[in-house]
Amino acid sequence: MFKKILIANRGEIALRIIRTCREMGIKTVAVYSTADKDSLHVKFADEAVCIGPPPSKDSYLNIPNIIAACEITNADAIHPGYGFLSENSKFSRICQKHNIKFIGATPEQIDAMGDKSNAKDTMLKAEVPCVPGSAGLLADAEQAKGIAIEIGYPVIIKATAGGGGRGMRIVWKEEELAGHYESASKEAEAAFGNGAMYMEKYIEEPRHIEIQIAGDQYGKVCHLSERDCSIQRRHQKLMEETPSPFMTPELRERMGEAAIKAGLAVAYEGVGTVEFLVDKYRNFYFMEMNTRIQVEHPITEEVIDYDLIREQILIAAGVPISGKNYYPQLHAIECRINAEDPFNGFRPSPGRITTLHTPGGHGVRIDSHIYAGYTIPPNYDSMIAKVITMAQTREEAIMKMSRALGEFVVEGVKTTIPFHLRLMKDEKFLKGDYTTKFMESFDLKE
Ligand code: MV4
């Protein structure tokens, strides 16, 4: 087992990883930018190393400084958390070369999934259901027109280097195709240095349902059921829940099996997530595979009573998984609390937290790094806490969430708590009747 793990991240996920390491008797090294010198992850870790100034590119993305921090502290593994370097194949490879275990996917697995058109091709070969579309990349807008006629409008063109919605256009009729193709390709070229595009039939009003998987170094892959992440705004998830209110035992079985096939296709090692689009007929299609621990992992942990960070560390250390699948025994909801003003287009609201009272009680979990007097820096993600509630039924989990959010007091900055309080009373949400289009017609003032 590892003796010391360096955590190449900040905020709540750094704390989350430190907690599991402590339980496992593993020493921890925090790294931090000068903006984070007073952060809890720095205080809670056994050792801490400053890796640069506030901008991410100079600190949490600064590979030479992170490797140097690892070498001077003698850490034998790096946990990258989510975001930052968690899906950076170059970093995964550099760790390998330095004999540091990267607690995440191999460079090959990251590259195989990072190119979306290539990932889809791999999934088609593995018989994972995919949206009908172009066979690989598009040569030009003319070729795209021909394929669009075959599959029928609306279609969606996507950047192969994209993900999270950038370099993506919906096309409703042929007249619009060439223009959208050029602008999306240019956007992708500027953002990712790769303008290559592929095309799919556009699935209208889908649900975003993802399956958690785990694979070990010996070729075994299992699934840990689903999370419904359909409530999102501009590709930022706001709330997640498990089980999905749209799920049936049959669909879970079929999606779980497809996710396992996806994992087996790349000999997946570690914990990962296979994202699917699910249409109103419960047809599901592979969308992307994430080769990292995700923000929303706690809801899965709570409904199957399973520490996913511990599992990541055990798998990386070469411990075999049991190989059995896991099914939800409870209902769990996560609300992401951001330092943003929900009444003002979710505009970021960094600054000093003057007063803080966090909720507690039965069935409530808070994953957060904030404290009274903490200053939220403007340089990073605006998430300041995750409120997770769990209960025997969805109705109870929602009631607990309303109760917990009502107790949550954050003064000094604006937060998305009022949004979540309103969401928990929304008629459609209460019925479980929502898709990825939900936020387009949501009005906080109603
Ligand atoms: C789609 C789609 C409809 N049809 N593909 C959004 C981000 C990227 N991962 C893929 N996305 C989508 N792909 C087809 N063929 C709709 C979306 C989409 C979406 C997906 C999941 C969650 C939220 C979304 C919001 C807008 C569009």
Side-chain angles (χ1 to χ4, degrees):
M1 184 45 62
F2 308 115
K3 291 192 172 61
K4 199 188 269 188
I5 296 177
L6 180 141
I7 297 122
N9 214 303
R10 63 182 301 281
E12 69 85 18
I13 193 65
L15 277 182
R16 168 73 192 84
I17 297 160
I18 291 168
R19 286 176 169 146
T20 286
C21 288
R22 180 129 311 144
E23 289 170 11
M24 295 175 80
I26 300 168
K27 292 266 186 275
T28 54
V29 180
V31 292
Y32 63 98
S33 74
T34 52
D36 280 338
K37 66 174 172 39
D38 299 323
S39 291
L40 286 190
H41 77 283
V42 175
K43 293 181 194 170
F44 283 16
D46 295 301
E47 292 169 78
V49 181
C50 182
I51 50 164
S56 298
K57 67 170 177 23
D58 302 317
S59 51
Y60 298 104
L61 293 173
N62 186 330
I63 296 175
N65 286 9
I66 292 168
I67 297 290
C70 205
E71 293 189 327
I72 58 172
T73 56
N74 246 320
D76 44 12
I78 294 183
H79 196 305
Y82 51 68
F84 296 125
L85 297 168
S86 60
E87 290 173 294
N88 184 310
S89 60
K90 200 177 112 190
F91 184 59
S92 176
R93 189 169 291 115
I94 289 169
C95 288
Q96 258 178 11
K97 290 216 176 89
H98 285 78
N99 262 320
I100 300 161
K101 182 67 189 175
F102 178 78
I103 304 175
T106 65
E108 294 76 22
Q109 287 158 356
I110 295 172
D111 283 333
M113 291 303 126
D115 183 300
K116 307 300 171 197
S117 174
N118 184 49
K120 187 176 171 182
D121 207 51
T122 305
M123 294 310 155
L124 278 169
K125 288 193 178 108
E127 298 182 325
V128 178
C130 293
V131 188
S134 59
L137 298 175
L138 297 165
D140 52 35
E142 272 316 299
Q143 188 207 15
K145 276 186 191 172
I147 299 166
I149 290 168
E150 279 173 43
I151 61 180
Y153 287 90
V155 297
I156 184 166
I157 44 181
K158 298 178 174 183
T160 192
R166 274 206 294 181
M168 202 174 85
R169 297 285 187 284
I170 302 158
V171 187
W172 293 90
K173 44 183 192 288
E174 187 172 283
E175 300 88 274
E176 303 168 344
L177 203 154
H180 282 332
Y181 179 91
E182 298 308 327
S183 79
S185 179
K186 276 214 186 77
E187 185 180 306
E189 178 66 50
F192 318 112
N194 178 0
M197 309 295 295
Y198 66 107
M199 186 164 70
E200 291 180 342
K201 175 83 187 165
Y202 178 60
I203 310 293
E204 293 179 61
E205 305 215 22
R207 286 172 173 80
H208 171 151
I209 301 178
E210 57 189 31
I211 304 284
Q212 178 73 54
I213 62 165
D216 65 17
Q217 295 180 11
Y218 314 98
K220 230 186 244 171
V221 178
C222 70
H223 80 75
L224 291 74
S225 295
E226 82 280 3
R227 295 185 286 261
D228 195 318
C229 307
S230 301
I231 308 269
Q232 51 78 47
R233 181 183 175 277
R234 299 190 181 170
H235 305 290
Q236 294 295 317
K237 293 169 188 168
L238 299 169
M239 188 274 330
E240 307 90 357
E241 65 176 314
T242 184
S244 166
F246 196 61
M247 193 50 69
T248 65
E250 298 76 39
L251 181 62
R252 182 177 293 117
E253 216 47 53
R254 289 193 290 128
M255 290 181 71
E257 280 314 306
I260 290 173
K261 277 188 197 169
L264 289 172
V266 291
Y268 195 72
E269 180 193 322
V271 308
T273 303
V274 187
E275 297 184 346
F276 293 100
L277 290 171
V278 184
D279 72 15
K280 61 184 170 203
Y281 309 109
R282 293 194 169 81
N283 296 310
F284 62 89
Y285 308 95
F286 172 81
M287 187 162 52
E288 287 176 22
M289 178 166 170
N290 301 318
T291 59
R292 59 166 192 276
I293 190 79
Q294 288 190 273
V295 174
E296 60 271 27
H297 77 276
I299 58 171
T300 297
E301 296 190 320
E302 295 304 328
V303 300
I304 67 173
D305 189 25
Y306 192 106
D307 180 336
L308 286 169
I309 302 288
R310 178 184 160 88
E311 201 58 21
Q312 283 189 298
I313 295 169
L314 292 175
I315 290 168
V319 177
I321 61 170
S322 78
K324 73 178 179 86
N325 300 325
Y326 287 78
Y327 297 90
Q329 304 299 312
L330 291 173
H331 196 99
I333 299 176
E334 169 179 282
C335 290
R336 298 189 186 190
I337 311 302
N338 293 347
E340 294 171 357
D341 182 358
F343 296 98
N344 224 318
F346 289 80
R347 204 165 60 197
S349 176
R352 186 167 178 271
I353 295 170
T354 52
T355 308
L356 179 68
H357 177 80
T358 47
H362 181 232
V364 178
R365 165 175 170 181
I366 310 291
D367 279 21
S368 174
H369 59 294
I370 62 173
Y371 55 86
Y374 175 69
T375 298
I376 303 156
N379 314 78
Y380 315 107
D381 188 279
S382 62
M383 192 176 74
I384 56 169
K386 302 189 291 205
V387 180
I388 302 115
T389 60
M390 49 281 195
Q392 289 287 332
T393 65
R394 182 171 193 265
E395 290 68 31
E396 285 176 87
I398 292 171
M399 283 197 290
K400 279 187 186 292
M401 184 59 79
S402 280
R403 188 272 290 169
L405 292 169
E407 287 176 15
F408 206 164
V409 181
V410 184
E411 280 171 6
V413 298
K414 299 253 177 24
T415 77
T416 52
I417 293 170
F419 160 75
H420 288 291
L421 275 167
R422 164 71 176 76
L423 177 63
M424 293 301 127
K425 293 184 167 60
D426 187 88
E427 213 176 296
K428 286 209 143 161
F429 173 71
L430 288 170
K431 284 194 276 184
D433 176 18
Y434 61 81
T435 71
T436 58
K437 289 262 187 281
F438 180 84
M439 286 303 291
E440 288 177 20
S441 58
F442 184 85
D443 188 353
L444 188 51
K445 278 148 209 150
E446 258 175 38

